[in-house]
PDB file of all heavy atoms in Angstrom:
ATOM      1  N   ARG A   4       1.512   3.299   3.431  1.00 73.00           N
ATOM      2  CA  ARG A   4       2.351   2.674   4.483  1.00 73.00           C
ATOM      3  C   ARG A   4       3.407   1.842   3.841  1.00 73.00           C
ATOM      4  O   ARG A   4       3.380   0.597   3.837  1.00 73.00           O
ATOM      5  CB  ARG A   4       1.526   1.807   5.391  1.00 73.00           C
ATOM      6  CG  ARG A   4       0.408   2.658   6.081  1.00 73.00           C
ATOM      7  CD  ARG A   4      -0.416   1.791   6.993  1.00 73.00           C
ATOM      8  NE  ARG A   4      -1.514   2.580   7.524  1.00 73.00           N
ATOM      9  CZ  ARG A   4      -2.304   2.168   8.365  1.00 73.00           C
ATOM     10  NH1 ARG A   4      -2.193   1.008   8.923  1.00 73.00           N
ATOM     11  NH2 ARG A   4      -3.255   2.960   8.767  1.00 73.00           N
ATOM     12  N   ARG A  13       5.731  -4.841  18.785  1.00 84.00           N
ATOM     13  CA  ARG A  13       5.308  -5.940  19.717  1.00 84.00           C
ATOM     14  C   ARG A  13       3.837  -5.646  20.064  1.00 84.00           C
ATOM     15  O   ARG A  13       3.462  -4.497  20.128  1.00 84.00           O
ATOM     16  CB  ARG A  13       6.075  -5.878  20.995  1.00 84.00           C
ATOM     17  CG  ARG A  13       7.455  -6.424  20.897  1.00 84.00           C
ATOM     18  CD  ARG A  13       8.089  -6.453  22.269  1.00 84.00           C
ATOM     19  NE  ARG A  13       8.421  -5.115  22.667  1.00 84.00           N
ATOM     20  CZ  ARG A  13       8.805  -4.708  23.827  1.00 84.00           C
ATOM     21  NH1 ARG A  13       8.945  -5.505  24.776  1.00 84.00           N
ATOM     22  NH2 ARG A  13       9.112  -3.408  24.086  1.00 84.00           N
ATOM     23  N   GLY A  27      -0.778   5.871  40.184  1.00 88.00           N
ATOM     24  CA  GLY A  27      -1.700   6.733  40.893  1.00 88.00           C
ATOM     25  C   GLY A  27      -1.412   6.877  42.365  1.00 88.00           C
ATOM     26  O   GLY A  27      -1.446   7.957  42.938  1.00 88.00           O
ATOM     27  N   PHE A  33       3.376  11.409  46.613  1.00 83.00           N
ATOM     28  CA  PHE A  33       4.347  12.537  46.411  1.00 83.00           C
ATOM     29  C   PHE A  33       3.635  13.896  46.734  1.00 83.00           C
ATOM     30  O   PHE A  33       4.277  14.783  47.267  1.00 83.00           O
ATOM     31  CB  PHE A  33       4.923  12.493  44.991  1.00 83.00           C
ATOM     32  CG  PHE A  33       6.054  11.620  44.829  1.00 83.00           C
ATOM     33  CD1 PHE A  33       6.004  10.648  43.904  1.00 83.00           C
ATOM     34  CD2 PHE A  33       7.189  11.657  45.644  1.00 83.00           C
ATOM     35  CE1 PHE A  33       7.000   9.636  43.757  1.00 83.00           C
ATOM     36  CE2 PHE A  33       8.210  10.767  45.542  1.00 83.00           C
ATOM     37  CZ  PHE A  33       8.151   9.772  44.588  1.00 83.00           C
ATOM     38  N   PHE A  37       5.477  15.892  49.606  1.00 74.00           N
ATOM     39  CA  PHE A  37       6.185  16.988  49.100  1.00 74.00           C
ATOM     40  C   PHE A  37       5.324  18.060  48.664  1.00 74.00           C
ATOM     41  O   PHE A  37       5.693  18.941  47.772  1.00 74.00           O
ATOM     42  CB  PHE A  37       7.122  16.590  47.946  1.00 74.00           C
ATOM     43  CG  PHE A  37       8.089  15.482  48.317  1.00 74.00           C
ATOM     44  CD1 PHE A  37       7.970  14.277  47.746  1.00 74.00           C
ATOM     45  CD2 PHE A  37       9.043  15.637  49.278  1.00 74.00           C
ATOM     46  CE1 PHE A  37       8.793  13.222  48.077  1.00 74.00           C
ATOM     47  CE2 PHE A  37       9.944  14.648  49.657  1.00 74.00           C
ATOM     48  CZ  PHE A  37       9.763  13.454  49.010  1.00 74.00           C
ATOM     49  N   SER A  39       3.499  21.495  48.168  1.00 59.00           N
ATOM     50  CA  SER A  39       3.981  22.806  48.374  1.00 59.00           C
ATOM     51  C   SER A  39       2.862  23.760  48.705  1.00 59.00           C
ATOM     52  O   SER A  39       1.812  23.674  48.051  1.00 59.00           O
ATOM     53  CB  SER A  39       4.699  23.308  47.164  1.00 59.00           C
ATOM     54  OG  SER A  39       5.090  24.650  47.305  1.00 59.00           O
ATOM     55  N   VAL A  42       1.814  25.777  45.535  1.00 53.00           N
ATOM     56  CA  VAL A  42       1.103  25.170  44.494  1.00 53.00           C
ATOM     57  C   VAL A  42      -0.395  24.923  44.800  1.00 53.00           C
ATOM     58  O   VAL A  42      -1.222  25.260  44.062  1.00 53.00           O
ATOM     59  CB  VAL A  42       1.747  23.759  44.102  1.00 53.00           C
ATOM     60  CG1 VAL A  42       0.964  23.091  43.028  1.00 53.00           C
ATOM     61  CG2 VAL A  42       3.191  23.983  43.608  1.00 53.00           C
ATOM     62  N   ALA A  84       0.137  31.323  53.619  1.00 86.00           N
ATOM     63  CA  ALA A  84      -0.762  31.588  54.758  1.00 86.00           C
ATOM     64  C   ALA A  84       0.098  31.400  56.025  1.00 86.00           C
ATOM     65  O   ALA A  84       0.860  30.474  56.198  1.00 86.00           O
ATOM     66  CB  ALA A  84      -1.944  30.648  54.782  1.00 86.00           C
ATOM     67  N   ILE A  85      -0.180  32.374  57.011  1.00 88.00           N
ATOM     68  CA  ILE A  85       0.521  32.261  58.286  1.00 88.00           C
ATOM     69  C   ILE A  85      -0.536  32.685  59.399  1.00 88.00           C
ATOM     70  O   ILE A  85      -1.558  33.144  59.091  1.00 88.00           O
ATOM     71  CB  ILE A  85       1.697  33.211  58.343  1.00 88.00           C
ATOM     72  CG1 ILE A  85       1.335  34.661  58.121  1.00 88.00           C
ATOM     73  CG2 ILE A  85       2.812  32.817  57.411  1.00 88.00           C
ATOM     74  CD1 ILE A  85       2.438  35.694  58.268  1.00 88.00           C
ATOM     75  N   LEU A  90       3.187  36.048  61.896  1.00 91.00           N
ATOM     76  CA  LEU A  90       3.146  37.374  61.348  1.00 91.00           C
ATOM     77  C   LEU A  90       4.027  38.302  62.068  1.00 91.00           C
ATOM     78  O   LEU A  90       4.712  39.123  61.496  1.00 91.00           O
ATOM     79  CB  LEU A  90       1.668  37.935  61.359  1.00 91.00           C
ATOM     80  CG  LEU A  90       1.506  39.354  60.878  1.00 91.00           C
ATOM     81  CD1 LEU A  90       1.764  39.448  59.390  1.00 91.00           C
ATOM     82  CD2 LEU A  90       0.159  39.852  61.210  1.00 91.00           C
ATOM     83  N   LYS A  99      13.222  45.150  58.638  1.00 90.00           N
ATOM     84  CA  LYS A  99      14.683  45.347  58.581  1.00 90.00           C
ATOM     85  C   LYS A  99      15.142  45.499  57.057  1.00 90.00           C
ATOM     86  O   LYS A  99      16.161  46.000  56.880  1.00 90.00           O
ATOM     87  CB  LYS A  99      15.389  44.201  59.328  1.00 90.00           C
ATOM     88  CG  LYS A  99      15.228  44.236  60.768  1.00 90.00           C
ATOM     89  CD  LYS A  99      15.869  43.044  61.392  1.00 90.00           C
ATOM     90  CE  LYS A  99      15.576  43.011  62.909  1.00 90.00           C
ATOM     91  NZ  LYS A  99      16.111  41.873  63.573  1.00 90.00           N
ATOM     92  N   ALA A 124      -1.887  46.161  63.572  1.00 91.00           N
ATOM     93  CA  ALA A 124      -1.240  47.514  63.416  1.00 91.00           C
ATOM     94  C   ALA A 124      -0.235  47.690  64.581  1.00 91.00           C
ATOM     95  O   ALA A 124       0.863  48.248  64.275  1.00 91.00           O
ATOM     96  CB  ALA A 124      -2.356  48.585  63.525  1.00 91.00           C
ATOM     97  N   PRO A 142     -17.050  53.867  47.795  1.00 77.00           N
ATOM     98  CA  PRO A 142     -18.395  53.290  47.601  1.00 77.00           C
ATOM     99  C   PRO A 142     -18.779  53.544  46.057  1.00 77.00           C
ATOM    100  O   PRO A 142     -18.538  54.542  45.529  1.00 77.00           O
ATOM    101  CB  PRO A 142     -19.240  54.115  48.481  1.00 77.00           C
ATOM    102  CG  PRO A 142     -18.351  54.638  49.492  1.00 77.00           C
ATOM    103  CD  PRO A 142     -17.013  54.847  48.852  1.00 77.00           C
TER     104      PRO A 142
END
Side-chain angles (χ1 to χ4, degrees):
R4 298 179 190 191
R13 283 186 289 169
F33 280 122
F37 304 112
S39 171
V42 176
I85 59 175
L90 177 67
K99 292 177 184 174

